[in-house]
Amino acid sequence: MTPYQKWISFYTMLRKDVVRMTRIWPQTFLPSVVTSALYFLIFGAFLGSKIGEVHGVPYVMFVVPGLVMLAVVTNAYMNTSFTMFMSKFFARNIDEILVSPTPAWVIVAGYVAGGLVRGIAIGSLVLVVSLFFTNLIVSHALVIVLFLVLTSLVFSLAGFVNGVYAKSIDGINIVPTFVLTPLVYLGGVFYSAQSLPGLWGSLTRFDPVFYIINGFRYGFLGVSDVPIMVSVGVLVALAVLFTAISIYLIKVGLGLRQ
Amino acid sequence: MASMPAPALEISGLEKTYAGGTRALNGVSLTIQKGDFFALLGPNGAGKTTLIGIIVGLVNKTGGTVTIFGTDARNEPEKTRAHIGLVPQNVNLDFFGKVIDIVVNQGGYYGIPRSIATSRAEEILKGLGLFEKRFDAVRTLSGGMQRRVMIARALIHDPQFLVLDEPTAGVDVELRRSMWDYLTGLTKRGVTILLTTHYLEEAEQLAKRVAIINKGEIVVNGTMEEVLALHDDSSAGNGGYRGSKLEEVFIKLTQDKP
């Protein structure tokens, strides 16, 4: 295939997924927006005034970056894990792509781009919703964009790996429920690691989501529990790792080719 | 003196043992010349679908070689896949997709720009009597129509080698005959066809060459006349029933010997 033909194949996969996710927007976009609005309501109007300030800003403003990341992480992950699993397990229409000359890396890029788009779209929507509850400080706009894109990419790739490996519908639900959600909640969505006692503060640093949330928060508030370059490094390392695994899985056909 | 064109398909010593230890193919060798209408026949579980899966790249072989138009399918899978169109045994369509989108998207995976793929898809759908249904969701179509959608999907990139795995299973007689006419028309345009079917009269009418596979081994391979010549006119079928000549030969070659 020529580079232009590869681009068409990639665009076809992305277009198909974007059409799908917009067609079923009450399932793909609405839930995160509603859930986030509830979080903002609870932590802004109800609890925020009692908690006071964190890092010198109102509590609701402090939790906005974390809640945006919560939505981005889960949506990017679920998008690719679900579409990959459905296309290989139910209709088996993944074969449409596997029999085509589309190279493995383009297949990965096509699937992952769908998750990337959904992650960025959801993140942007939740940010817009947050404006109804608090004013946002933007300290480093480029950092915000960088973390939104990199986080969507990493978790879209992770979801792709999960979707390829999963042998049942439980296989794509277990990781988000029992791994992703605890990692996000314990990664500092609702608190600063500085406020955690010794051991817990140390354990949090083994959670990759901690670095992601802190990096994203740095873009807004200009403060972070860890150096920003460490956060970027963790995201880039995870992106490289999951990209390599994804391409390998498609090349050998694990779970896809008999 | 002009050199002989490379065969459409050349298989040598092909072996496949599944992870559970089941040996599906045991040293299969087969050659299909360019422009042939070739029927691959065999009882259930003989290895037909495994063989097709290896040819199109959906099944990983454990031994042997597969060459498509002179190119090794293992060394240059993207190049060989570009030549092949697959109509699988089981319906593997995106049931929520529209007919036209499914066919056009398939063109995209082969690097065909959307505008070209759309006009080509409309032409193919007209030929298969599906033009009026092009904006219908696949799930609303009858089984026979869904099978025709799979044929349209396999033809969108104008393949030189069309692989049909029981394309007429469950299709009524009238529709089956119209599909035969369509397929015969393709061979007149130089398309090589590999057909598996349980309708032996279908194979007898359409194919110029035939191979019968049983328990992972080719038991006969030749022109239709050569295979029919194996028929023993004195033999009587089960319970006095006499099937077509090909049916009698098929039963003789595939039945378990006491």
Side-chain angles (χ1 to χ4, degrees), chain B:
Chain B
M1 195 173 129
S3 60
M4 281 279 287
L9 174 72
E10 199 166 15
I11 290 171
S12 178
L14 197 61
E15 293 176 359
K16 173 64 185 177
T17 305
Y18 284 103
T22 304
R23 194 160 174 80
L25 296 176
N26 191 15
V28 169
S29 295
L30 200 65
T31 299
I32 301 178
Q33 297 298 336
K34 194 172 181 296
D36 265 1
F37 198 131
F38 194 99
L40 178 67
L41 310 175
N44 289 330
K48 302 185 298 292
T49 300
T50 297
L51 181 59
I52 283 176
I54 292 172
I55 293 167
V56 302
L58 292 177
V59 176
N60 293 327
K61 61 186 166 67
T62 45
T65 58
V66 177
T67 308
I68 314 278
F69 294 109
T71 304
D72 190 297
R74 184 194 171 99
N75 296 338
E76 297 183 77
E78 288 154 23
K79 189 175 173 186
T80 55
R81 284 176 200 156
H83 294 304
I84 305 174
L86 170 70
V87 180
Q89 186 179 123
N90 297 315
V91 176
N92 68 341
L93 300 164
D94 173 6
F95 285 98
F96 296 100
K98 291 175 186 167
V99 171
I100 188 83
D101 289 336
I102 284 169
V103 181
V104 170
N105 283 345
Q106 189 67 22
Y109 305 142
Y110 286 80
I112 302 168
R114 203 160 184 83
S115 56
I116 296 171
T118 302
S119 59
R120 201 182 281 181
E122 286 175 349
E123 201 175 305
I124 295 168
L125 291 172
K126 274 179 195 165
L128 287 163
L130 283 172
F131 186 71
E132 303 302 322
K133 299 282 184 184
R134 67 193 184 284
F135 297 123
D136 289 7
V138 162
R139 67 178 183 279
T140 65
L141 303 183
S142 67
M145 285 181 182
Q146 289 176 357
R147 291 211 168 267
R148 278 184 283 166
V149 174
M150 293 204 296
I151 293 177
R153 185 181 62 180
L155 292 172
I156 188 67
H157 60 291
D158 204 10
Q160 295 168 263
F161 184 24
L162 186 62
V163 179
L164 302 125
D165 194 0
E166 298 184 33
T168 52
V171 173
D172 66 50
V173 177
E174 193 181 350
L175 184 55
R176 212 184 312 159
R177 288 187 180 216
S178 73
M179 283 166 77
W180 292 357
D181 290 340
Y182 193 81
L183 296 176
T184 308
L186 290 175
T187 53
K188 284 176 184 160
R189 281 165 35 195
V191 176
T192 308
I193 293 182
L194 169 59
L195 169 79
T196 77
T197 180
H198 284 295
Y199 299 109
L200 300 187
E201 78 282 6
E202 181 172 279
E204 199 169 335
Q205 288 194 31
L206 295 171
K208 290 185 175 64
R209 296 187 67 87
V210 61
I212 296 175
I213 186 170
N214 191 31
K215 295 178 181 172
E217 291 178 5
I218 300 287
V219 290
V220 70
N221 179 11
T223 64
M224 187 59 77
E225 291 75 25
E226 286 167 350
V227 173
L228 292 177
L230 298 173
H231 181 253
D232 179 0
D233 284 326
S234 64
S235 70
N238 292 337
Y241 168 74
R242 295 291 299 262
S244 69
K245 276 189 174 182
L246 185 60
E247 196 173 313
E248 298 280 335
V249 172
F250 178 87
I251 290 169
K252 183 176 150 189
L253 293 172
T254 58
Q255 70 184 359
D256 285 326
K257 306 257 182 335

Side-chain angles (χ1 to χ4, degrees), chain A residues 1 4-6 8-13 15-16 23 91-104 251-254 256-258, chain B residues 16 18 56-60 78-79 81-82 84 86 91-97 101-102 104-114 153:
Chain A
M1 288 180 108
Y4 178 57
Q5 288 174 317
K6 286 173 188 160
I8 291 171
S9 186
F10 164 79
Y11 174 74
T12 302
M13 279 187 270
R15 185 182 185 278
K16 185 183 173 192
R23 189 183 64 215
R92 191 65 211 180
N93 56 321
I94 181 75
D95 289 351
E96 293 176 344
I97 304 171
L98 293 179
V99 300
S100 79
T102 303
K251 275 196 167 172
V252 299
L254 195 75
L256 300 172
R257 295 189 169 98
Q258 292 176 299
Chain B
K16 173 64 185 177
Y18 284 103
V56 302
L58 292 177
V59 176
N60 293 327
E78 288 154 23
K79 189 175 173 186
R81 284 176 200 156
I84 305 174
L86 170 70
V91 176
N92 68 341
L93 300 164
D94 173 6
F95 285 98
F96 296 100
D101 289 336
I102 284 169
V104 170
N105 283 345
Q106 189 67 22
Y109 305 142
Y110 286 80
I112 302 168
R114 203 160 184 83
R153 185 181 62 180

